[in-house]
Amino acid sequence: MERLDDPTLLRAQCDAWRAAGDTLAFVPTMGALHAGHLALVDEARRRADRVVVSIFVNPTQFGPGEDLDSYPRTLEADAAACAEGGVAALFAPRAEAMYPPGDQTRVTVQGVAHDLCGAHRPGHFEGVATVVSKLFNVVGPCVAVFGRKDYQQLQVLKRLARDLFFPIEVVGVATVREPDGLALSSRNVYLSPEDRARALAIPRGLSAAANAYAEGERRADALVGTARAIIEAAVDRIDYVTLADADDVTPLADDESIAAPPRSGRAVLAVAARVGKTRLIDNLVLGEDPPPLR
Ligand code: PAF
């Protein structure tokens, strides 16, 4: 596995592989890799000859008071996992390499980035879109693989790739969960045992809504209410429990139904909640994703 920290050298390596006839798949991450990330690497390996992973804790996507400084950093363990997973190149730049002195450009995605995390973390998706644009420009034509746990991020990055004509296919991979339903996240390491037990209300709430959906419920207020009642009894704060159109991520109003026009019939139930100091997100595309608990 090549280990690189210079964007120019990564670009040269990716160009050389393509010139030799190899296809590339790219997995952008912030490190602290867990089985969810390794599922992205596996999918990348299935789709291309060479897999590139980036590890960069991107400062521009963290707001004031968020966990930029304490975000888990486990580079050597991550590098070992990447080598084991068949990664061809690991790119782990320093902040100055991605944002050299004088850097002034930011990339903003509108509509799809507006609600949910866009409303609760001002500037977050601008930071994500900016760093991913830089990374896409360095890696070049490839398949880029992201987790569906960050559902809105995935839709933002699909829109970004389409709108800016990046020669990149953006694909999503199903959320990996613990046996008790908790979605894997690098931030789970912050949870005390008590907080972790309370966090299980999130997969429980999503599963209850999925069951209601399976029994024919399509009204937004009923589906959201079912999940919310379970989650708010356990967590410290809910940022949102929202039913949104699965394609454009616009929230459904309380009196809307998934099944009635203008809705497409596909909807994502998305949650962001705080347990202790930890902000957790999770989601289900109703009728498509398996409920976290069966
Ligand atoms: O999902 C993440 O880990 C990050 O938001 C990403 C896409 C690597 C951009 O920093």
Side-chain angles (χ1 to χ4, degrees):
M1 183 176 78
E2 301 289 333
R3 285 184 68 165
L4 303 157
D5 61 7
D6 179 337
T8 311
L9 295 181
L10 178 64
R11 172 178 283 152
Q13 178 65 83
C14 292
D15 286 346
W17 278 329
R18 273 186 299 267
D22 286 349
T23 55
L24 267 63
F26 177 39
V27 183
T29 81
M30 297 204 299
L33 302 184
H34 50 65
H37 294 111
L38 300 180
L40 306 183
V41 170
D42 286 346
E43 180 63 23
R45 260 203 348 265
R46 278 191 286 275
R47 287 176 175 264
D49 301 316
R50 305 273 188 176
V51 175
V52 178
V53 171
S54 66
I55 293 181
F56 179 60
V57 183
N58 171 38
T60 64
Q61 70 188 74
F62 290 80
E66 292 190 346
D67 57 344
L68 172 62
D69 293 336
S70 59
Y71 196 85
R73 288 162 170 87
T74 56
L75 184 57
E76 288 316 309
D78 292 348
C82 286
E84 172 105 347
V87 170
L90 174 61
F91 177 57
R94 296 169 61 82
E96 308 80 65
M98 294 305 286
Y99 296 99
D103 175 274
Q104 297 182 355
T105 302
R106 294 293 176 269
V107 178
T108 306
V109 178
Q110 299 183 346
V112 68
H114 187 260
D115 296 294
L116 311 184
C117 285
H120 285 270
R121 299 184 70 188
H124 170 67
F125 285 124
E126 184 179 271
V128 171
T130 299
V131 79
V132 171
S133 298
K134 289 173 183 260
L135 292 165
F136 280 1
N137 274 323
V138 171
V139 172
C142 65
V143 175
V145 185
F146 296 89
R148 285 167 58 102
K149 186 175 82 68
D150 296 285
Y151 186 85
Q152 188 180 18
Q153 170 175 281
L154 176 63
Q155 304 312 315
V156 166
L157 296 175
K158 284 186 172 173
R159 191 74 259 169
L160 171 86
R162 269 201 299 272
D163 290 352
L164 297 186
F165 305 111
F166 281 111
I168 287 176
E169 183 193 359
V170 174
V171 300
V173 169
T175 301
V176 178
R177 298 180 181 279
E178 303 277 11
D180 58 12
L182 188 68
L184 295 192
S185 163
S186 302
R187 290 190 168 97
N188 288 355
V189 297
Y190 300 149
L191 294 168
S192 67
E194 295 75 23
D195 287 350
R196 192 189 176 290
R198 290 193 296 133
L200 293 178
I202 297 172
R204 278 210 311 275
L206 289 173
S207 296
N211 292 341
Y213 179 92
E215 284 161 14
E217 184 59 80
R218 296 293 182 272
R219 292 169 301 156
D221 56 352
L223 290 163
V224 168
T226 298
R228 193 178 177 102
I230 293 169
I231 296 167
E232 76 189 349
V235 306
D236 293 306
R237 192 178 102 195
I238 288 182
D239 276 2
Y240 58 80
V241 179
T242 299
L243 190 67
D245 184 282
D247 297 324
D248 64 16
V249 199
T250 54
L252 274 73
D254 283 351
D255 61 356
E256 276 194 280
S257 157
I258 297 176
R263 296 302 173 178
S264 62
R266 292 184 67 241
V268 60
L269 183 58
V271 178
R274 305 217 178 223
V275 184
K277 291 202 184 102
T278 311
R279 185 176 188 274
L280 298 172
I281 59 170
D282 202 346
N283 71 82
L284 276 190
V285 178
L286 293 170
E288 294 181 19
D289 293 330
L293 302 167
R294 292 182 184 261

